[in-house]
Amino acid sequence: MELRQLRYFVEVAKREHVSEAAEELHVAQSAISRQISNLEAELGVELFIREGRNVKLTQIGKHFLPHVETALKAIDFAKQQIDEYLDPERGTIKIGFPTSLASHTLPTIISAFKAQHPNVSFHLRQGSYRFLIESVKNRDIDLAFLGPVPSDDNEIKGNILFTETFSALLPANHRLAGRQSIDLNELRNESFIMFPKGFVLRNIAVDACKQAGFAPDISSEGEDLDAIKGLVSAGIGVTLLPESTFYETMPRFTVKIPIQIPHVKRNVGIIISKNRELTPSEKVFYHFAKDFFSVLERYQ
């Protein structure tokens, strides 16, 4: 069983088309077909069913695929570790992040790190809360910034970097727009704009409203911060957002008002998998991030 046979198998399984896999891998179609036939002969089973120009995984092929993917990830990780031990300053780090940390937190830490380690590369992936956690577990990304840091997952190690409060974002002509602060209960009769169900920022906002004694009337939803802020700017409703989402991106015709009661906040941190060791460059970045935000917290 050869490594290239396994890579060919995974690529064909993903695309369900030999010629498309050949194009992606930059090898001849006949070479892929031959290597997969050799793999099937060695295993003594058929991995694919031929359907004209397309192929489909057999039942045993479907069972074989996740094991092969796991093995290839382990091999790629081992090679990456060897490369980085030879030169830790030229590694590539795969980092995940949510939309709420995209405009300020992530650029701040990446730019500070690059100033000291200019030859380390980054592959950045934005995603939802659950997606980022699962991607760290599956080794699709090396680490992720997240808020709040999960505390009940045995496969994830999280470090809190900082804590931030939430504020209300109101249209500029809102009756409370001139206030220095508000109690959240004062918005009980307002229409709220929030992320869709399943988004952690929505859960935090809804829980805060319930803590204030009411269930929010969610009249509109947006899947990104710009959409939500734009709807507030248009006077459609109000929303609750964490402080880091307001840096340098306050929309026109809106005002940000701190919430006095209840105190709405979240922690933000960095997560890694407990089931794999960080590569040298990942370790450098991981410790850099913790030290960086520790210094910031002391000066704030």
Side-chain angles (χ1 to χ4, degrees):
M1 191 180 303
E2 300 178 10
L3 189 58
R4 63 174 173 172
Q5 292 174 342
L6 299 179
R7 295 196 188 279
Y8 291 176
F9 165 71
V10 170
E11 196 64 37
V12 173
K14 286 194 306 183
R15 298 179 181 279
E16 296 185 339
H17 203 286
V18 176
S19 61
E20 290 182 6
E23 184 177 348
E24 176 66 23
L25 294 168
H26 305 291
V27 296
Q29 181 176 336
S30 58
I32 289 185
S33 297
R34 183 171 59 255
Q35 291 303 327
I36 288 179
S37 294
N38 292 342
L39 179 61
E40 290 177 320
E42 182 176 346
L43 294 172
V45 297
E46 284 193 346
L47 298 172
F48 294 100
I49 301 171
R50 278 69 179 177
E51 297 181 349
R53 301 180 66 180
N54 292 76
V55 294
K56 298 280 187 181
L57 283 170
T58 62
Q59 196 60 40
I60 191 65
K62 291 178 181 178
H63 285 294
F64 189 53
L65 177 60
H67 296 290
V68 174
E69 290 178 320
T70 299
L72 290 176
K73 285 179 181 178
I75 292 170
D76 290 340
F77 178 69
K79 183 180 184 303
Q80 181 184 356
Q81 281 199 312
I82 292 172
D83 291 341
E84 292 191 18
Y85 277 115
L86 294 174
D87 189 355
E89 288 294 324
R90 292 190 179 276
T92 297
I93 309 172
K94 293 177 287 187
I95 297 178
F97 63 97
T99 183
S100 62
L101 300 176
S103 63
H104 179 74
T105 303
L106 188 72
T108 299
I109 183 65
I110 293 292
S111 61
F113 182 82
K114 289 288 284 182
Q116 296 186 21
H117 307 274
N119 294 321
V120 174
S121 301
F122 290 94
H123 178 81
L124 304 176
R125 178 67 185 272
Q126 183 176 334
S128 67
Y129 190 79
R130 292 309 315 173
F131 170 83
L132 295 175
I133 292 174
E134 292 304 314
S135 294
V136 169
K137 290 181 183 179
N138 297 333
R139 298 187 178 183
D140 293 325
I141 56 178
D142 304 318
L143 47 85
F145 290 97
L146 211 58
V149 175
S151 58
D152 56 352
D153 195 316
N154 294 330
E155 298 181 56
I156 291 294
K157 177 183 178 181
N159 284 92
I160 296 174
L161 301 176
F162 62 91
T163 300
E164 62 177 348
T165 59
F166 279 60
S167 293
L169 186 68
L170 313 178
N173 60 359
H174 192 277
R175 59 186 175 83
L176 300 175
R179 295 273 293 276
Q180 294 298 310
S181 65
I182 61 171
D183 291 347
L184 186 53
N185 187 51
E186 296 180 82
L187 298 177
R188 63 183 307 122
N189 296 320
E190 301 290 337
S191 295
F192 277 79
I193 303 161
M194 292 191 183
F195 285 94
K197 289 182 179 179
F199 281 69
V200 70
L201 290 185
R202 176 187 175 118
N203 296 340
I204 294 173
V206 169
D207 289 345
C209 292
K210 289 180 178 178
Q211 188 179 347
F214 69 96
D217 173 21
I218 303 173
S219 62
S220 303
E221 297 178 342
E223 293 191 357
D224 60 70
L225 287 168
D226 288 339
I228 290 175
K229 292 177 180 180
L231 291 173
V232 175
S233 180
I236 303 299
V238 303
T239 194
L240 307 180
L241 292 173
E243 194 65 32
S244 61
T245 64
F246 293 113
Y247 289 117
E248 302 175 359
T249 57
M250 273 294 296
R252 297 175 61 192
F253 312 121
T254 65
V255 292
K256 181 188 71 170
I257 310 291
I259 301 169
Q260 187 168 343
I261 301 174
H263 188 55
V264 189
K265 62 181 181 179
R266 71 165 177 174
N267 62 58
V268 175
I270 189 169
I271 64 169
I272 59 174
S273 171
K274 289 183 178 179
N275 299 323
R276 63 176 284 264
E277 183 183 354
L278 296 176
T279 65
S281 59
E282 292 164 10
K283 284 181 182 177
V284 171
F285 180 81
Y286 181 64
H287 292 297
F288 179 90
K290 292 194 293 182
D291 293 343
F292 180 82
F293 284 102
S294 175
V295 171
L296 285 185
E297 287 281 283
R298 288 202 300 268
Y299 281 94
Q300 287 180 351

